[in-house]
Amino acid sequence: MAKTKYIMHQCAYCRRETKMEFIGGQPSEDINAEVIKVWYRCGKCKHSALLTLTPASQMKKKRAVAINRELCTPYAKEKIFSVGENIYHSEWDDVGKVVRKDKMSNGIHSIVVTFEKTGERKLLENIQA
Ligand SMILES: [Zn+2]
């Protein structure tokens, strides 16, 4: 690899946030790797340090599986939900988190849910049968 890679990192030796130069190991090429171990050299004190990095793709994957289906409230339009609550939508077989609540001008309550598969959806809540 011809291009030199730099990252900003706090050096363990001079204890300053410095531009560290990549000198060895595998940089973030393998998107399936749990963590990446790489050698970086401090631009200030020239000490080398083995850093353990988490690839951005891995962090994204971890966020996506954060919802435990067992702990989700099954969605029904008669129920009332709170922001941050995890819900399960049986029709779509999908789980999501309530990110916002709205009340429309006609008095109908709604929630905005970010679903893992379906994405952001608006659902009704507190509907009296
Ligand atoms: Zn240093």
Side-chain angles (χ1 to χ4, degrees):
M1 208 171 300
K3 216 174 114 198
T4 314
K5 296 196 175 195
Y6 292 96
I7 56 158
M8 289 306 290
H9 192 81
Q10 194 187 358
C11 174
Y13 296 94
C14 61
R15 307 227 163 253
R16 264 187 296 182
E17 191 82 13
T18 57
K19 199 165 149 186
M20 309 273 283
E21 183 193 354
F22 171 71
I23 50 169
Q26 274 298 309
S28 53
E29 306 300 334
D30 184 3
I31 57 156
N32 295 313
E34 283 284 321
V35 289
I36 302 168
K37 287 197 165 138
V38 282
W39 283 98
Y40 276 92
R41 183 168 53 216
C42 176
K44 289 211 166 63
C45 70
K46 308 291 178 196
H47 267 107
S48 300
L50 185 64
L51 302 179
T52 305
L53 308 175
T54 307
S57 57
Q58 192 64 26
M59 277 147 71
K60 226 178 272 167
K61 216 156 74 186
K62 272 189 185 136
R63 258 204 304 279
V65 295
I67 299 173
N68 184 350
R69 190 165 287 212
E70 307 287 306
L71 303 173
C72 291
T73 311
Y75 170 73
K77 62 183 188 301
E78 298 82 15
K79 288 181 183 170
I80 299 170
F81 300 92
S82 14
V83 172
E85 193 169 353
N86 293 328
I87 69 171
Y88 172 69
H89 198 290
S90 57
E91 210 176 300
W92 301 337
D93 188 35
D94 205 354
V95 289
K97 191 188 270 284
V98 180
V99 291
R100 209 161 64 238
K101 280 170 74 100
D102 283 316
K103 190 181 175 184
M104 290 179 261
S105 52
N106 55 8
I108 291 176
H109 294 261
S110 69
I111 50 171
V112 177
V113 184
T114 306
F115 284 98
E116 284 186 349
K117 287 185 283 187
T118 323
E120 194 171 287
R121 287 297 151 99
K122 200 169 202 174
L123 297 168
L124 300 175
E125 71 156 2
N126 197 11
I127 301 294
Q128 306 306 319

